[in-house]
Amino acid sequence: MLLAIDCGNTNTVFSIWDGEKWLCTLRTSTHHSRTADAYFTWFTTLISHYNIKPDITDVVISSTVPRVVWNLRVFADRFFDCRPLVVGKPECLLPVSPRVDPGTGVGPDRLANAAGCFDRHGGNAMVIDFGTATNIDVVAEDGAYVGGVIAPGVNLSLEALHQGAAALPHVDITQPERVIGTNTVACIQSGIFWGYVGLIKELTSRVREEFGGPMKVIGTGGLAPLFAQGEKLFDTIEDDLTMHGLRVIHSYNKEQGTI
């Protein structure tokens, strides 16, 4: 079985692939100080509730938080006796190399999104990933990641608004009934929700124009379904796109004999 781990700035996701399907997906907050033993205690405790006895033979990791990778490596080595494949490291091969400016580091989650998108939907596409940042990942016809856009994430914007304006409360994001809010909470919700709808519509339009042709738009991340309610922003939504991409990259490295 394959354990895929996607470590973001806010949350870390663990998913188990049995060769045919994802058995379960577990989430925990990201802390760089969490030890391998702490990961294992948390992991085994939750797995017991799914009545799963996983036989983990392989581990693949994507992490945008470099300090977390060491403990995840130890976690894989100590408890599953395997050397994990870490996306973004030189020893990890990609089905198609990214085409970006020389010396530019590409986030491993974006590489996984590109691989997952191409495997499921082909090229000439963009992935809108709602995470700590709101990213647009552009996938060329041959599956290469060729750049994109980074904007502040929805929850990050809400938190910054709350911290920067003493009189404004912290609110939960939802689609408001009206654009014109008649109270403070409704005003903030309208600004964030419709503001991000406008951001996505404008950016995807400009990406298409610059790319020079039609493109599929794939939404992923926890807030993608929420924003799909407001407008026709996505051709489809893939909840597990990053994990699928990790599996694709792992399979490719197996085929190439690097692991």
Side-chain angles (χ1 to χ4, degrees), residues 45-248:
T45 299
L46 282 186
I47 284 296
S48 66
H49 289 282
Y50 286 87
N51 294 319
I52 296 173
K53 295 182 179 179
D55 180 19
I56 304 297
T57 57
D58 296 90
V59 178
V60 59
I61 298 170
S62 162
S63 178
T64 58
V65 186
R67 289 195 293 174
V68 172
V69 174
W70 170 254
N71 284 327
L72 288 174
R73 282 182 181 270
V74 174
F75 165 72
D77 179 64
R78 180 178 298 167
F79 298 106
F80 304 119
D81 193 28
C82 70
R83 183 173 182 266
L85 178 69
V86 181
V87 178
K89 297 296 184 182
E91 63 270 19
C92 178
L93 303 181
L94 298 172
V96 185
S97 297
R99 293 194 291 274
V100 294
D101 293 342
T104 299
V106 180
D109 55 334
R110 309 187 82 172
L111 297 173
N113 283 345
C117 174
F118 184 72
D119 185 70
R120 283 181 172 171
H121 304 284
N124 296 334
M126 63 180 106
V127 178
I128 317 297
D129 191 350
F130 292 88
T132 304
T134 299
N135 294 333
I136 298 180
D137 305 321
V138 180
V139 184
E141 184 176 10
D142 62 351
Y145 170 87
V146 292
V149 178
I150 301 176
V154 177
N155 288 317
L156 192 63
S157 295
L158 279 168
E159 189 62 29
L161 188 64
H162 172 59
Q163 291 183 359
L168 297 182
H170 181 81
V171 302
D172 293 327
I173 181 62
T174 186
Q175 181 178 354
E177 295 181 2
R178 303 176 59 197
V179 176
I180 302 174
T182 54
N183 58 69
T184 302
V185 170
C187 288
I188 296 173
Q189 289 174 333
S190 178
I192 292 293
F193 182 85
W194 293 112
Y196 270 86
V197 168
L199 175 115
I200 295 303
K201 290 176 68 175
E202 181 68 15
L203 285 175
T204 53
S205 174
R206 288 181 177 270
V207 167
R208 280 195 184 96
E209 181 180 353
E210 191 170 296
F211 193 77
M215 301 180 74
K216 298 175 285 291
V217 181
I218 317 301
T220 192
L223 291 176
L226 172 65
F227 284 97
Q229 298 175 15
E231 297 280 341
K232 176 63 176 176
L233 299 179
F234 317 113
D235 293 305
T236 188
I237 294 176
E238 300 277 5
D239 293 335
D240 65 342
L241 186 67
T242 307
M243 288 303 183
H244 179 67
L246 289 177
R247 187 178 69 79
V248 169

Side-chain angles (χ1 to χ4, degrees), residues 26-40:
L26 313 174
R27 293 178 180 271
T28 185
S29 56
T30 299
H31 291 294
H32 71 269
S33 59
R34 182 170 287 149
T35 65
D37 292 350
Y39 277 118
F40 185 71

